[in-house]
Amino acid sequence: MLTQRKKTFSKRSRTGCRTCRARRVKCDETPVACLKCTGSGRTCDGYDRHRLAPAGGRRKTGDTTPIFTIPANLARKLQWNVTSDERRCLSFFQHRSVQHLVGLYDSFLWQQVIFRLCCKEPAVYHAVVALGAVNQANELTGCIPRPGQSTTHLQNTWYRFALEQSGRSVALLNKRRMSQDPQLQETILVCCLLFIICELLHGNRNRADFHLKGGLRILQMMKLRRQSSGLQLCPAAIVDGPSGAPVAVEDCVVETFLKFQESSVYFGTDDPLDFDSQFVFNQPYDNYLLPFHSLEHAKQVLKPLTQANCIFTAVYLKASDSDLQKYYASLQHQQVLLLSYFHKFLWQFERFCAQEYTSTPTDGVLRKEEREAELIKLACRQGIMAAKVALYNKSDPWPASLCLECESLIAASEAAMSKFGGQYPAVTAETGIMPALVLSIFRCPDYGIRCRGIEAIRSWQSEEGFLSAVLSADIMEEGMKKELRWLYDSGAPWPRGVTFVAHGGRVTARVLYWVGAFEKQQCLVLERNESLIAELAAIETAKDWSCVKAWGLMDEQF
């Protein structure tokens, strides 16, 4: 009778070098470079300082958590050693992160260009892996770290792994610093975009702002402009590289930087990339506001207009009342043009939508293209409102006549949010909902409308570039509390829908507001939110934000 031999199992080492792990052979783990690699003539890629926990063995019955894998065609294109941990993060980026990044609008960058560069540029590859790791860490913890919490969250293995991957990407870029490769600039710019998103997901706005400014400085030197026909970026976006060879950058890379700049304008823009203002103001832009033949055509026409309005808003936010008076004539001329162009665009676009999208789905959730159309309408209405209020004195409240427009813009935002069926993107470089809500709340004279807008922001829970829903809602609420406290202390007449209750030395404001046919109430304890102030103190530029300065949120007294 034959004796049945038992198969022996040995625990796989998780501390081998990257090369041996990629080859799936046992590493001798010699410090610096293993002998298994050097003895066979291979290059030892060294050791990872941080390893991810094993993915686990068999799946439990009923476990529906998706298992992500890298498609074979993508894996074959990678020409360097890839570890199992990197595979996990790369597949997570492809299957989950990209879904969020294109949650508002489709993007040629995130759906096409990024994978092409990922397969040919190791620096881009490691930056993508880092983003996948941070994104997965946030899904596991269920939240994005708040400002100032990044050090605490570095105790998480996923964050430490992401930091190491980002370091590898930076090291590879530094090695090529003196390279004559004409594609280096595009590689650096794409890595900058990936680093920006990584840092925003990690709650580190200081580093995100650093990478944004670095990328914009590179683009500033390219003397960008748009073609008068087609509105695409001109060949002037191609500049001479170190060797005299042309340096080309994909349009979608430049447009993504402009989108990040657009979301950061509310927090100050020192030296914005601006080539669209001249394009819009120095020629009859009406020539482009003709009937649209596709959604992409409409989006292309709106881009320069949105960017010109962004720069116009940035000027207003930074200027004092005396500056506005000094340059009022030229600014008003730009204001009139912007309002005219936005109104004409909206009229043409609504005609286009009426022809293209005639049926409404029974479940209320629109197709992706129809959702994009709703967001375009909202962006246009927000642009009209932003241009309209841009020249109001900052020391004066908005007139009560604007309350209805603020409420209408909030209602339009809520309607656009409802089209997503509760599936909101966690993070995206695009702006969709947040600018309209923030603008409607900032200086609206009706506190009930403000409460409704803050509630809408909290329900959105997305990171639209530098516009964080959670942080923006807290700032808007804190500013409203400070105004209400001043009204209570000064003995001024109570605003409509607001009552104050004092008990035990604490003052609470009760604000009534309506959402459709439903009456709601928000109770605000009029005390300083110390956690929010600590978060703002952790952001280097927060003290200069227009909203923080307007309300004096970082002053000693509440």
Side-chain angles (χ1 to χ4, degrees):
M1 182 176 178
L2 296 175
T3 304
Q4 192 173 25
R5 297 178 62 186
K6 292 184 178 180
K7 187 176 181 179
T8 59
F9 291 89
S10 61
K11 186 176 181 180
R12 179 183 292 182
S13 171
R14 293 183 49 78
T15 55
C17 75
R18 291 170 52 81
T19 308
C20 288
R21 283 166 46 214
R23 294 175 58 214
R24 299 186 179 182
V25 299
K26 185 173 177 57
C27 179
D28 59 40
E29 301 183 21
T30 303
V32 184
C34 79
L35 298 178
K36 179 88 69 170
C37 292
T38 56
S40 60
R42 293 180 172 85
T43 299
C44 180
D45 289 335
Y47 303 86
D48 288 332
R49 295 179 58 190
H50 303 290
R51 295 292 312 279
L52 302 178
R58 296 181 179 178
R59 291 162 62 83
K60 297 179 181 179
T61 303
D63 185 3
T64 59
T65 304
I67 298 177
F68 300 130
T69 57
I70 306 177
N73 62 338
L74 178 59
R76 284 195 299 268
K77 292 178 182 178
L78 297 172
Q79 302 299 313
W80 48 83
N81 295 325
V82 179
T83 68
S84 57
D85 289 345
E86 291 169 358
R87 279 194 179 90
R88 289 170 64 185
C89 296
L90 178 59
S91 61
F92 189 90
F93 171 84
Q94 183 179 22
H95 294 281
R96 187 81 87 196
S97 302
V98 171
Q99 288 182 2
H100 290 289
L101 290 168
V102 299
L104 297 180
Y105 298 98
D106 284 336
S107 167
F108 185 64
L109 171 64
W110 302 118
Q111 292 167 307
Q112 299 290 335
V113 174
I114 199 72
F115 293 107
R116 171 176 60 78
L117 291 175
C118 185
C119 293
K120 60 184 288 191
E121 295 287 353
V124 174
Y125 163 79
H126 286 291
V128 163
V129 171
L131 177 52
V134 175
N135 203 173
Q136 189 154 358
N138 289 345
E139 286 211 1
L140 291 171
T141 58
C143 65
I144 293 175
R146 300 291 294 262
Q149 294 181 343
S150 55
T151 303
T152 303
H153 279 72
L154 279 176
Q155 298 173 7
N156 184 303
T157 304
W158 290 92
Y159 288 122
R160 295 200 300 268
F161 179 77
L163 188 62
E164 183 176 355
Q165 291 293 314
S166 296
R168 288 184 179 277
S169 179
V170 172
L172 288 166
L173 292 175
N174 285 335
K175 280 184 180 180
R176 297 171 60 186
R177 191 169 48 191
M178 305 305 293
S179 169
Q180 305 298 308
D181 183 357
Q183 300 304 316
L184 178 58
Q185 294 291 0
E186 182 175 58
T187 301
I188 293 173
L189 288 169
V190 171
C191 286
C192 273
L193 290 173
L194 291 164
F195 293 154
I196 291 169
I197 300 170
C198 273
E199 297 298 351
L200 289 174
L201 283 172
H202 197 200
N204 193 337
R205 298 173 70 93
N206 295 327
R207 295 293 299 174
D209 187 56
F210 170 82
H211 291 302
L212 175 61
K213 289 177 178 177
L216 291 175
R217 278 195 297 270
I218 294 174
L219 293 173
Q220 291 278 12
M221 297 184 293
M222 293 189 175
K223 299 179 181 177
L224 296 161
R225 69 178 190 273
R226 292 193 188 273
Q227 299 177 20
S228 56
S229 60
L231 301 175
Q232 303 294 332
L233 294 178
C234 274
I238 301 176
V239 297
D240 290 335
S243 63
V247 177
V249 177
E250 292 274 3
D251 286 8
C252 58
V253 175
V254 180
E255 299 287 3
T256 304
F257 269 102
L258 290 175
K259 280 299 178 183
F260 271 121
Q261 177 177 272
E262 184 181 331
S263 65
S264 70
V265 71
Y266 295 92
F267 313 110
T269 305
D270 295 330
D271 189 17
L273 175 64
D274 181 20
F275 51 86
D276 280 328
S277 292
Q278 290 187 351
F279 186 77
V280 170
F281 295 134
N282 294 353
Q283 63 172 317
Y285 203 72
D286 295 284
N287 294 341
Y288 304 101
L289 300 174
L290 303 174
F292 303 126
H293 52 73
S294 69
L295 187 65
E296 282 303 315
H297 177 210
K299 288 164 63 176
Q300 196 64 40
V301 171
L302 185 61
K303 284 176 184 177
L305 194 54
T306 302
Q307 290 304 319
N309 196 42
C310 164
I311 301 301
F312 185 73
T313 303
V315 170
Y316 160 72
L317 291 173
K318 291 182 66 175
S320 63
D321 284 351
S322 59
D323 290 333
L324 293 176
Q325 290 297 324
K326 182 178 180 180
Y327 302 107
Y328 188 83
S330 61
L331 291 174
Q332 188 187 39
H333 174 68
Q334 294 181 351
Q335 180 189 47
V336 170
L337 287 175
L338 287 170
L339 288 171
S340 171
Y341 294 151
F342 271 121
H343 278 293
K344 290 177 182 178
F345 176 92
L346 185 58
W347 182 75
Q348 289 284 13
F349 189 68
E350 287 183 332
R351 286 184 62 195
F352 167 79
C353 291
Q355 295 171 356
E356 292 293 320
Y357 313 122
T358 55
S359 61
T360 303
T362 56
D363 59 1
V365 180
L366 303 182
R367 299 192 308 270
K368 179 75 177 289
E369 186 175 300
E370 294 174 80
R371 286 211 312 263
E372 288 190 13
E374 289 295 311
L375 292 174
I376 289 172
K377 291 179 188 177
L378 181 62
C380 198
R381 293 189 179 108
Q382 183 268 335
I384 292 171
M385 182 74 165
K388 180 180 291 187
V389 302
L391 302 185
Y392 285 174
N393 285 339
K394 296 180 178 180
S395 55
D396 299 330
W398 283 358
S401 59
L402 280 178
C403 289
L404 187 59
E405 293 187 50
C406 290
E407 189 170 26
S408 177
L409 196 54
I410 291 173
S413 302
E414 293 169 339
M417 289 163 58
S418 69
K419 308 304 182 184
F420 286 80
Q423 301 298 314
Y424 306 149
V427 62
T428 174
E430 298 279 355
T431 53
I433 303 295
M434 288 296 298
L437 289 175
V438 170
L439 177 65
S440 304
I441 298 167
F442 187 28
R443 294 180 63 197
C444 178
D446 189 305
Y447 291 102
I449 293 174
R450 288 201 203 182
C451 285
R452 177 177 175 179
I454 292 170
E455 180 187 1
I457 291 180
R458 293 199 192 283
S459 67
W460 182 234
Q461 295 183 344
S462 292
E463 305 280 322
E464 296 182 8
F466 284 79
L467 280 169
S468 162
V470 176
L471 183 61
S472 296
D474 287 349
I475 291 174
M476 296 295 116
E477 185 174 275
E478 192 71 3
M480 183 170 64
K481 284 164 52 181
K482 194 154 187 181
E483 288 183 19
L484 289 170
R485 183 73 202 212
W486 181 87
L487 287 170
Y488 176 79
D489 291 340
S490 67
W494 293 0
R496 182 174 64 90
V498 177
T499 57
F500 296 98
V501 177
H503 180 71
R506 305 179 77 184
V507 179
T508 300
R510 294 177 179 173
V511 185
L512 297 177
Y513 63 101
W514 292 81
V515 179
F518 299 96
E519 185 183 54
K520 294 192 174 185
Q521 176 180 276
Q522 178 70 32
C523 293
L524 301 168
V525 178
L526 303 185
E527 295 178 352
R528 183 181 168 106
N529 183 345
E530 296 297 345
S531 296
L532 172 63
I533 303 307
E535 291 172 6
L536 292 175
I539 302 172
E540 294 173 359
T541 59
K543 63 182 182 300
D544 298 320
W545 293 357
S546 56
C547 52
V548 173
K549 290 170 66 176
W551 287 313
L553 296 187
M554 299 185 72
D555 295 346
E556 291 294 327
Q557 299 296 324
F558 184 77

